[in-house]
């Protein structure tokens, strides 16, 4: 089995989500509100995917099972 076969897509997306959130805040604090909004859109896309495909919902702090 290859290493990436053992990785759960939910874990990958959740980690990426948190990275994007941090980047969005950093851009916003630096005055790049357009860049921050683009990253926020990516966060929303991840939230929607996890909700529709995996039954997870973002409560503002963490993903929870519905």
């Amino acid at each position: 089995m290859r290493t990436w076969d053992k990785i759960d897509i939910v874990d990958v997306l959740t980690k990426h989500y948190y990275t994007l959130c941090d980047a969005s805040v950093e851009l916003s604090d630096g005055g790049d509100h357009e860049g921050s909004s683009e990253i926020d859109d990516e966060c929303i896309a991840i939230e929607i995917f996890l909700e529709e495909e995996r039954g997870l919902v973002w409560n503002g702090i963490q993903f929870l099972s519905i």
Side-chain angles (χ1 to χ4, degrees), residues 10-65:
V10 172
D11 294 336
V12 173
L13 288 174
T14 302
K15 181 179 177 184
H16 188 61
Y17 179 86
Y18 287 115
T19 302
L20 286 173
C21 286
D22 291 344
S24 176
V25 170
E26 187 175 320
L27 285 173
S28 182
D29 288 346
D32 184 355
H33 300 291
E34 185 176 326
S36 177
S37 292
E38 286 180 28
I39 291 178
D40 286 343
D41 290 346
E42 292 179 15
C43 289
I44 291 168
I46 291 171
E47 288 176 22
I48 291 169
F49 174 81
L50 290 177
E51 184 174 342
E52 292 176 355
E53 299 296 323
R54 300 296 178 151
L56 298 173
V57 66
W58 178 249
N59 75 350
I61 298 172
Q62 62 186 349
F63 286 100
L64 301 172
S65 296

